């Protein structure tokens, strides 16, 4: 998409419509329009782009090691080439091959290099298109199929296990002749690499493979009534005499039948339900998730088919749908794993304020702008949740260096704003003297804080209240470049603290910045004579009480050490601010 200006303009325009009033009139067929644009653009020959990326071999004498040409390019250039190639392949496979040859990635008619490409870059390619390419009658395609299958070693594998292996990489085409070509070479490869399989010849493997494909379809087709599905006896009858005129041992056929019945031979679910629209081919991630229902109180969760691709999250009512129910650009959001439930993911605005903007198709077919303060999705288990979290995180911020750079720039701007606010009101001065200094956190939105150096439950007494309240405390010392300073944060619960660290939402009840603590002292509570810790600031004395003698000693030592450290850091900052700025020569 980045390399396709026509497509980029169309997508950008479509997404920008989200904020307009006439959304439904403009976006109805945008996804099919994207497909049309891609098809038109794919007809542009590689000649237009021939000078975009130049192989390095002519200059540095690099040698192509594996035949793909990967060794002749720098990684950034090669990544850009492959990104274009994926789109071309998912529309018209021959155009992709011509493009890669023109770019110097492949040599002309190098079937082995193309087979390697299909193996190594399958995640970016349509599994359906791979199957169509391999099953094509063209002689060259059949050479690619041969090379593709030669990368497999089926030693000590049963036929059903071997079928499962190859069908994770491509989807069998719909035409019987194409399936026939693939299974014929598949059978030859099995017979060569697994001679102990116990059959007389390749034909036996071929016929049995075809029979297993038919059995798999029959047993797992929901449109076939149970009383009409194939039985074990029927399966055995169908395969009588296929082993060079002899019968295959019934125990072998029975074992194959039971394994297919118990576990369907199928692709990954996302690949299996691959749509016709190019945008949704070979997505970054796809699968069933439940989303929290914002509009109805009848059911909190509703299941949808989610697709993450090209920096956008979509969901559909079912996998086969081409038009999504919701389109959510991932440009201005942040994600985190829920601390309340280990199967949930929270999506919030990147700045911690405002709304997540997305487009939703209503029941009447119209599309309108939707705004959410948060968007919660739920997987079926923790492992699946973690897989989705990693995919979403990598899609939102694939380059951690860029992320750090942007965060540093944002903090520098924030620092300037804070300096302007410092002289505003007496209330702010009082707030600072008490050690809260709430102005530091205003406008920061989501906080990127490191793990606490100390944390645990303690009791806290309010300034004007005599009752003690149990709070979860966390002493956090952020990096110097955040211009925030070490602080003692307190929360209603540990979950609230974890939510701050995971997502960045400011869930704390309050905070005390350590630089305003003048001294840490042990005192006695007048009511029950219990030992307490007092944190003395200019405008307030904070009173906290750890729950055990061990934790009391720990918190005293930790607070004393970090208060002293923070005083040293404050002094260094003052000295640095007084240094004259060197002028450019």
């Amino acid at each position: 998409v980045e390399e396709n200006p026509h497509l980029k303009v169309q997508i950008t325009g479509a997404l920008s419509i989200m904020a307009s009033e006439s959304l439904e009139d403009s976006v109805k067929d945008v996804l099919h329009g994207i497909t049309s644009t891609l098809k038109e653009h794919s007809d542009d020959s590689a000649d237009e782009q021939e000078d975009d990326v130049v192989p390095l071999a002519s200059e540095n004498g690099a040698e192509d090691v594996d035949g793909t040409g990967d060794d002749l390019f720098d990684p950034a250039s090669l990544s850009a080439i492959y990104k274009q190639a994926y789109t071309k392949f998912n529309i018209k496979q021959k155009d992709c091959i011509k493009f890669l040859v023109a770019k110097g990635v492949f040599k002309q008619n190098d079937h082995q290099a193309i087979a390697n490409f299909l193996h190594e870059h399958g995640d970016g390619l349509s599994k359906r298109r791979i199957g169509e390419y391999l099953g094509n009658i063209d002689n060259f395609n059949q050479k690619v199929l041969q090379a593709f299958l030669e990368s497999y070693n089926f030693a000590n594998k049963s036929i059903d296990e071997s079928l499962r292996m190859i069908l994770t990489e491509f989807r069998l085409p719909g035409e019987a002749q194409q399936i026939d070509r693939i299974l014929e070479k598949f059978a030859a490869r099995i017979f060569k690499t697994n001679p102990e399989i116990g059959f007389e010849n390749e034909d036996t493997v071929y016929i049995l493979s075809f029979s297993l494909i038919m059995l798999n379809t029959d047993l797992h087709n929901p449109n076939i009534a149970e009383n009409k599905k194939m039985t074990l006896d029927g399966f055995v009858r169908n395969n009588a005499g296929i082993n060079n005129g002899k019968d295959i041992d019934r125990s072998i056929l029975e074992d194959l039948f039971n394994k297919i019945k118990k576990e369907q031979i199928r692709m990954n679910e996302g690949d299996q339900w691959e749509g016709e629209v190019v945008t949704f081919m070979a997505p970054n991630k796809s699968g069933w998730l439940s989303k929290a229902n914002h509009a109805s109180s009848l059911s909190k969760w509703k299941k949808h088919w989610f697709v993450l691709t090209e920096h956008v999250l979509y969901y559909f009512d079912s996998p086969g749908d081409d038009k999504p129910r919701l389109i959510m650009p991932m440009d201005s959001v942040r994600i985190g794993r829920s601390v309340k439930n280990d199967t949930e993911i929270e999506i919030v605005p990147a700045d911690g304020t405002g709304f997540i903007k997305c487009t939703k198709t209503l029941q009447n077919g119209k599309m309108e702008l939707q705004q959410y303060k948060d968007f919660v999705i739920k997987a079926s288990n923790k492992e699946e949740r973690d897989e989705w979290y990693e995919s979403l995180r990598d899609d939102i911020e694939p380059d951690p260096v860029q992320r750090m750079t942007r965060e540093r720039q944002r903090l520098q701007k924030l620092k300037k704003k804070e300096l302007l606010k410092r002289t505003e009101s007496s209330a702010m001065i009082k707030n600072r003297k008490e050690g809260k200094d709430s102005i530091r956190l205003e406008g920061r939105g989501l906080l990127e804080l490191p793990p606490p150096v100390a944390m645990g439950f303690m009791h806290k007494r309010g300034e004007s209240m005599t009752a003690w309240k149990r709070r979860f405390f966390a002493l956090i010392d952020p990096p110097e470049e955040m211009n925030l300073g070490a602080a003692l944060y307190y929360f209603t619960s540990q979950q609230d603290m974890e939510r701050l660290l995971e997502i960045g939402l400011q869930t704390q009840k309050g905070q005390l910045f350590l630089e305003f603590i003048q001294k840490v002292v042990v005192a006695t509570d007048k009511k029950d004579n219990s030992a307490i810790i007092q944190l003395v600031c200019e405008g307030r004395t904070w009173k906290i009480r750890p729950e055990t003698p061990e934790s009391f000693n720990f918190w005293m030592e930790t607070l004393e050490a970090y208060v002293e450290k923070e005083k040293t850091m404050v002094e260094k900052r003052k000295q640095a601010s007084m240094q004259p700025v060197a002028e450019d020569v």
Side-chain angles (χ1 to χ4, degrees):
V1 175
E2 293 295 332
E3 303 299 325
N4 186 333
H6 306 295
L7 176 61
K8 194 171 183 179
V9 167
Q10 188 169 357
I11 292 177
T12 304
L15 294 179
S16 67
I17 297 170
M18 289 186 194
S20 72
E21 297 179 356
S22 59
L23 182 66
E24 65 276 10
D25 297 326
S26 306
V27 191
K28 280 185 176 179
D29 297 317
V30 64
L31 296 176
H32 293 288
I34 290 171
T35 305
S36 301
T37 301
L38 281 168
K39 287 182 177 177
E40 291 171 8
H41 191 68
S42 70
D43 291 335
D44 298 338
S45 70
D47 295 338
E48 288 183 29
Q49 305 162 351
E50 202 157 20
D51 295 327
D52 292 348
V53 184
V54 180
L56 304 179
S58 59
E59 296 182 6
N60 60 17
E63 183 180 354
D64 182 12
V65 176
D66 60 2
T68 62
D70 288 9
D71 308 290
L72 310 182
F73 296 87
D74 66 272
S77 298
L78 194 61
S79 176
I81 290 175
Y82 279 134
K83 193 171 184 180
Q84 290 176 267
Y86 299 157
T87 300
K88 289 179 179 293
F89 187 92
N90 293 341
I91 298 169
K92 191 174 181 181
Q93 300 95 307
K94 286 187 177 180
D95 286 350
C96 168
I97 305 304
K98 290 178 182 177
F99 170 73
L100 291 172
V101 169
K103 288 294 184 183
V105 178
F106 296 160
K107 296 175 183 177
Q108 190 74 30
N109 298 325
D110 189 343
H111 55 271
Q112 183 62 59
I114 297 172
N116 293 343
F117 169 72
L118 297 179
H119 274 302
E120 295 167 10
H121 297 272
D123 288 344
L125 304 176
S126 160
K127 301 297 187 290
R128 179 158 55 89
R129 295 286 191 251
I130 295 175
E132 291 170 357
Y133 185 82
L134 295 175
N136 192 290
I137 195 172
D138 186 90
N139 185 53
F140 181 76
N141 291 60
Q142 291 302 289
K143 289 182 179 179
V144 174
L145 172 60
Q146 183 76 36
F148 184 88
L149 290 172
E150 284 178 356
S151 65
Y152 291 98
N153 187 337
F154 298 117
N156 302 315
K157 300 284 184 184
S158 63
I159 292 183
D160 70 297
E161 290 173 329
S162 302
L163 280 171
R164 295 179 199 278
M165 286 175 65
I166 67 168
L167 291 182
T168 60
E169 294 206 49
F170 67 89
R171 177 176 169 178
L172 282 174
E175 295 183 18
Q177 298 93 327
Q178 293 178 317
I179 298 175
D180 180 81
R181 296 183 198 109
I182 293 173
L183 291 184
E184 185 179 3
K185 286 188 167 50
F186 167 73
R189 184 62 182 167
I190 284 187
F191 199 74
K192 181 178 180 179
T193 60
N194 191 8
E196 291 82 18
I197 197 167
F199 302 130
E200 295 281 336
N201 52 38
E202 296 176 12
D203 289 343
T204 305
V205 182
Y206 163 74
I207 296 170
L208 186 54
S209 298
F210 220 126
S211 183
L212 288 174
I213 294 292
M214 294 173 63
L215 174 67
N216 186 70
T217 302
D218 185 276
L219 291 180
H220 298 283
N221 187 340
N223 296 321
I224 299 177
E226 286 297 323
N227 62 349
K228 293 186 178 181
K229 290 184 182 295
M230 185 174 291
T231 63
L232 172 59
D233 288 338
F235 179 66
V236 172
R237 249 190 335 268
N238 287 349
N239 291 283
I242 67 170
N243 192 20
N244 199 22
K246 305 172 186 175
D247 288 344
I248 298 174
D249 189 284
R250 183 183 174 93
S251 63
I252 295 175
L253 295 177
E254 186 172 344
D255 181 59
L256 289 171
F257 180 91
N258 289 332
K259 286 195 288 186
I260 297 294
K261 186 176 182 178
K262 182 179 179 181
E263 183 180 357
Q264 181 182 4
I265 297 176
R266 62 186 301 170
M267 308 174 62
N268 294 328
E269 195 169 17
D271 297 325
Q272 181 185 6
W273 292 106
E274 186 179 276
E276 293 291 335
V277 180
V278 175
T279 306
F280 305 129
M281 288 185 178
N284 297 349
K285 181 74 176 170
S286 61
W288 288 105
L289 294 171
S290 297
K291 79 168 188 71
N293 198 337
H294 293 81
S296 173
S297 60
L298 297 176
S299 175
K300 184 178 178 182
W301 298 97
K302 190 170 182 181
K303 206 169 186 180
H304 293 278
W305 180 259
F306 279 77
V307 173
L308 176 65
T309 183
E310 296 293 353
H311 209 52
V312 180
L313 182 65
Y314 304 85
Y315 75 65
F316 303 79
D317 285 332
S318 60
D321 294 349
D322 283 338
K323 290 191 176 182
R325 286 291 310 281
L326 180 132
I327 304 172
M328 181 187 293
M330 305 301 286
D331 297 303
S332 302
V333 300
R334 183 172 174 183
I335 63 153
R337 290 158 292 196
S338 171
V339 298
K340 298 178 182 178
N341 189 308
D342 63 7
T343 63
E344 295 176 14
I345 295 173
E346 294 184 71
I347 304 176
V348 298
D351 60 0
T353 61
F355 297 91
I356 304 168
K357 292 185 178 181
C358 51
T359 310
K360 187 174 182 181
T361 305
L362 304 181
Q363 293 295 336
N364 60 12
K366 291 186 176 182
M367 299 182 75
E368 71 174 21
L369 177 69
Q370 296 280 305
Q371 297 187 119
Y372 300 108
K373 288 186 177 180
D374 62 2
F375 192 89
V376 184
I377 52 180
K378 181 168 70 172
S380 59
N381 54 60
K382 182 180 182 298
E383 292 72 24
E384 187 179 47
R385 189 279 304 268
D386 290 343
E387 289 176 8
W388 270 99
Y389 172 77
E390 291 174 7
S391 296
L392 288 164
R393 181 197 59 195
D394 293 344
D395 186 82
I396 292 171
E397 195 58 73
D399 187 344
V401 176
Q402 291 181 5
R403 178 180 179 179
M404 291 173 60
T405 302
R406 280 200 293 272
E407 180 65 12
R408 189 173 288 111
Q409 291 171 346
R410 186 181 73 85
L411 292 172
Q412 287 174 348
K413 292 179 182 177
L414 195 60
K415 184 177 180 180
K416 293 178 181 178
K417 290 181 181 179
E418 288 175 358
L419 292 174
L420 293 174
K421 290 180 181 178
R422 286 290 179 181
T423 58
E424 285 186 359
S425 70
S426 58
M428 291 180 181
I429 294 173
K430 179 178 181 296
N431 186 271
R432 193 172 306 116
K433 287 182 178 180
E434 291 177 350
K436 301 175 183 176
D437 204 17
S438 303
I439 194 172
R440 290 194 192 190
L441 302 174
E442 289 181 8
R444 282 184 179 261
L446 301 176
L447 295 178
E448 291 272 3
L449 295 177
V453 295
M455 61 181 176
F457 279 103
M458 291 191 287
H459 291 81
K460 168 187 169 294
R461 175 179 283 172
E463 187 177 13
S464 59
M465 300 177 66
T466 57
W468 290 91
K469 289 190 175 181
R470 193 170 188 253
R471 296 285 185 246
F472 191 85
F473 283 79
L475 176 57
I476 300 177
D477 186 19
E480 184 66 17
E481 58 264 24
M482 286 191 69
N483 191 40
L484 189 61
L488 186 64
Y489 296 83
Y490 57 94
F491 306 82
T492 302
S493 66
Q494 183 174 351
Q495 284 186 341
D496 285 345
M497 185 273 294
E498 291 171 349
R499 203 155 182 249
L500 167 64
L501 297 179
E502 178 69 28
I503 304 177
L505 292 175
Q506 295 193 36
T507 53
Q508 73 273 19
K509 293 285 290 183
Q511 67 285 322
L512 168 59
F513 285 97
L514 268 55
E515 69 176 84
F516 298 104
I517 299 176
Q518 297 174 341
K519 57 183 178 178
V520 181
V521 297
V522 177
T524 302
D525 180 43
K526 295 179 181 179
K527 191 172 181 179
D528 59 9
N529 293 324
S530 62
I532 62 174
I533 298 174
Q534 291 186 341
L535 307 173
V536 182
C537 302
E538 181 181 351
R540 174 182 174 180
T541 297
W542 295 70
K543 300 172 183 178
I544 56 177
R545 186 173 65 190
E547 296 189 325
T548 65
E550 293 78 15
S551 62
F552 190 101
N553 294 333
F554 169 78
W555 277 107
M556 270 297 298
E557 293 174 1
T558 304
L559 287 167
E560 285 177 332
Y562 274 87
V563 167
E564 193 62 33
K565 176 186 174 183
E566 196 62 19
K567 287 179 181 178
T568 304
M569 296 303 297
V570 170
E571 188 61 33
K572 286 183 179 179
R573 290 186 209 119
K574 287 180 180 179
Q575 292 177 3
S577 65
M578 297 172 63
Q579 294 293 329
V581 180
E583 296 183 3
D584 294 334
V585 179

